[in-house]
Amino acid sequence: MGFQVENLEEKNMVKLTIEVSAEEFEQGMQKAYLKNKSKMSVPGFRKGKVPRQMLEKMYGPAMFYEDAANELIPDAYAKAAEESKLDIVSQPEIDVTQIEKGKPFIFTAKVAVKPEVTLGEYKGLEIEKVNTDVTDEEVAAEIDKAREQNSRTVTVEGRAVADKDIAVIDFEGFVDGEAFEGGKGENYSLTIGSHSFIDTFEDQLIGKNVGEEVEVNVTFPEDYHAENLKGKPAMFKVVIKEIKAKELPELDDEFAQDVSEFDTLEEYKADVKKNLSEKRAKSAEHEKEAKAVEKAVENASFDVPEAMIQYQVRQMAEDFAQRMASQGISIEQYMQYTGMTADKLFDDMRPEAERRVKNGLVLEAIVKAENIEVTDEDFEEELKNMASMYQMDVEKIKEMVDDSATEQIKKDVAIQKAVKLVADSAKEI
């Protein structure tokens, strides 16, 4: 196998022309034949026993070309990529340029390579100070959440539906006078003001009484997931069957004792404020890091190849699909439920993908410029952090970490050191 490297006009894009010998191509053809022969039948031969020469005479050798190419390309590309010493940062764009029995197999792989980064100022940067004060209103809002969690739902009698109530309803929707699929429900508990139903549906129930039949007129949004309902006016026949409301506990010492380890409401409030302050300080630290790195990226000069961003987008989409699968939802189901498309998902992920790529390139350049090293102690500490995160024994984590994972972990730790260097040196104004 041989290869040639050609720099393309598009910055940081390279084309590898890879040639696989005729002998290796013949081996790939034979593997393709062995893979497919059990499916082949020709009169006069038992199924799976047709000689390759007979098949090629009848149908031409091209019948095995695609499988032979798929057999050869991965290893040939991987070998060429390694021997070229190129720092490849995208999936290859493969194009077959010669495929013919008895001749070398030739294909090209267009790839993005890591761009050179020219660092600007990245130490002593001026960034806007993050406010870490916790107000009394925020403390009250946090306590109200606890009251909501400890509330009880009671049936309301003698009054009409009001905002924040839970209306138990039967409903059926009609478009152009016809009932539509999915537009009917019985004994549905709808929280007024939750905006879980479209348009002004919930608002039109306010002031209505139990037993009352209501005609609710709404318009489906233009981006609604059901194609046949997008932008359509609809009428729902609704029956109010029951009105419920949340009854919050009194804000007193007894409440504090029920939801915390404190005896008085004042002690509980002080603890809530302390916890909010700690969270705010931690959040402010992350925000400071993000702002400092963003400014360092703005001060640097480099050209990011589009293929590198697209590769990051695909990785993020795969991670998202895996997270959905862990919740028992396939990516196809998610798109069906939300009306999302693959193109829109990629478009939505692109800004974050671009940010990650740019941040990574600049931080790697800072690691190099500052000669940042990861010590054995740093590595051990990171393994302990991983063990704590995954609630596993650190020795078990060590067993799972191979050489490749070790290198990645050390790279991640070095990047975090670079982030800390940039953030710690920044001046808040």
Side-chain angles (χ1 to χ4, degrees):
M1 188 208 78
F3 66 90
Q4 293 179 334
V5 178
E6 176 188 351
N7 291 318
L8 302 177
E9 288 185 12
E10 186 182 351
K11 270 208 161 186
N12 302 304
M13 294 300 294
V14 169
K15 183 168 76 174
L16 291 165
T17 300
I18 302 166
E19 181 175 315
V20 178
S21 71
E23 290 77 13
E24 288 177 282
F25 182 57
E26 168 56 29
Q27 292 170 14
M29 290 278 285
Q30 181 63 13
K31 286 183 181 178
Y33 161 69
L34 294 173
K35 174 184 174 183
N36 291 287
K37 70 173 186 174
S38 62
K39 307 169 192 173
M40 308 278 184
S41 61
V42 169
F45 294 92
R46 282 185 297 159
K47 191 172 183 180
K49 298 297 183 180
V50 187
R52 180 180 151 194
Q53 292 84 351
M54 177 67 73
L55 290 170
E56 290 185 1
K57 185 175 181 180
M58 293 179 67
Y59 304 111
M63 68 181 299
F64 298 120
Y65 285 175
E66 184 177 349
D67 283 335
N70 291 336
E71 177 73 32
L72 295 167
I73 286 173
D75 288 344
Y77 166 72
K79 189 175 179 183
E82 183 180 358
E83 291 182 6
S84 70
K85 306 297 183 187
L86 294 171
D87 200 346
I88 295 171
V89 290
S90 73
Q91 290 287 84
E93 187 179 312
I94 303 292
D95 184 34
V96 174
T97 58
Q98 178 173 292
I99 184 164
E100 187 176 343
K101 185 178 179 181
K103 292 184 179 181
F105 170 54
I106 303 173
F107 67 97
T108 62
K110 183 181 175 184
V111 293
V113 293
K114 187 175 291 184
E116 287 291 325
V117 175
T118 303
L119 291 170
E121 290 295 326
Y122 60 87
K123 288 191 281 192
L125 300 171
E126 291 187 347
I127 59 174
E128 186 180 349
K129 184 175 177 62
V130 181
N131 182 20
T132 58
D133 294 336
V134 175
T135 65
D136 291 341
E137 290 76 15
E138 288 170 324
V139 173
E142 192 68 16
I143 291 173
D144 280 344
K145 287 181 188 176
R147 292 178 73 198
E148 283 275 352
Q149 291 165 0
N150 288 273
S151 65
R152 65 191 187 103
T153 302
V154 296
T155 300
V156 174
E157 295 178 352
R159 70 164 174 82
V161 175
D163 192 28
K164 309 298 183 190
D165 280 349
I166 301 167
V168 180
I169 61 173
D170 290 347
F171 63 89
E172 185 171 16
F174 300 83
V175 169
D176 298 328
E178 297 289 332
F180 58 88
E181 187 179 352
K184 188 174 183 178
E186 294 182 350
N187 295 316
Y188 187 92
S189 294
L190 175 63
T191 300
I192 307 301
S194 65
H195 305 295
S196 54
F197 272 30
I198 63 168
D199 204 7
T200 59
F201 189 106
E202 295 160 29
D203 298 337
Q204 294 178 56
L205 299 185
I206 293 176
K208 308 303 180 183
N209 292 287
V210 171
E212 196 168 344
E213 296 184 7
V214 187
E215 282 194 4
V216 173
N217 293 287
V218 293
T219 301
F220 282 96
E222 293 292 344
D223 61 351
Y224 195 68
H225 63 83
E227 195 68 36
N228 62 318
L229 299 177
K230 286 182 177 179
K232 292 282 187 72
M235 186 274 287
F236 284 83
K237 292 181 179 179
V238 182
V239 178
I240 311 291
K241 301 186 74 175
E242 192 177 0
I243 302 171
K244 297 180 179 180
K246 282 185 178 179
E247 191 174 81
L248 302 182
E250 289 295 325
L251 195 57
D252 53 21
D253 290 347
E254 186 177 342
F255 167 70
Q257 292 163 16
D258 286 341
V259 299
S260 73
E261 59 188 28
F262 301 100
D263 293 326
T264 68
L265 181 61
E266 288 308 309
E267 288 176 310
Y268 173 55
K269 283 183 178 179
D271 186 63
V272 169
K273 187 167 187 174
K274 173 175 169 287
N275 289 334
L276 284 176
S277 296
E278 289 173 354
K279 287 180 184 176
R280 183 68 56 82
K282 196 167 187 178
S283 174
E285 183 183 344
H286 291 317
E287 193 172 340
K288 179 184 177 183
E289 290 177 350
K291 286 182 175 181
V293 171
E294 182 182 3
K295 204 141 197 180
V297 171
E298 288 174 3
N299 292 341
S301 301
F302 54 103
D303 294 303
V304 180
E306 176 62 22
M308 191 175 185
I309 297 171
Q310 292 297 332
Y311 181 55
Q312 180 66 45
V313 169
R314 283 193 294 273
Q315 283 189 313
M316 288 169 60
E318 287 172 9
D319 289 345
F320 178 75
Q322 287 176 0
R323 289 198 302 275
M324 288 293 101
S326 69
Q327 298 172 33
I329 303 172
S330 71
I331 192 68
E332 291 79 12
Q333 288 172 321
Y334 168 80
M335 290 184 175
Q336 183 182 353
Y337 298 155
T338 62
M340 180 67 73
T341 64
D343 286 344
K344 188 173 187 312
L345 182 66
F346 289 168
D347 286 344
D348 289 350
M349 288 180 169
R350 183 187 168 86
E352 174 61 16
E354 190 168 353
R355 186 192 69 82
R356 290 187 190 183
V357 167
K358 288 181 176 180
N359 284 7
L361 289 169
V362 170
L363 289 167
E364 284 179 19
I366 292 171
V367 168
K368 187 176 179 182
E370 294 287 333
N371 293 316
I372 293 174
E373 295 182 351
V374 177
T375 64
D376 291 341
E377 290 77 12
D378 293 330
F379 182 68
E380 286 290 328
E381 187 63 30
E382 185 61 18
L383 292 182
K384 288 177 185 176
N385 291 337
M386 290 171 65
S388 175
M389 183 188 305
Y390 296 114
Q391 297 182 327
M392 294 173 64
D393 186 80
V394 69
E395 293 303 320
K396 193 71 176 174
I397 292 285
K398 288 179 179 179
E399 290 174 14
M400 296 167 61
V401 175
D402 58 16
D403 290 344
S404 175
T406 296
E407 286 306 307
Q408 186 59 52
I409 291 169
K410 287 184 176 180
K411 181 180 176 181
D412 291 342
V413 172
I415 291 290
Q416 281 307 309
K417 282 189 167 189
V419 170
K420 186 166 174 54
L421 181 150
V422 174
D424 286 353
S425 70
K427 302 169 186 173
E428 292 183 299
I429 56 173

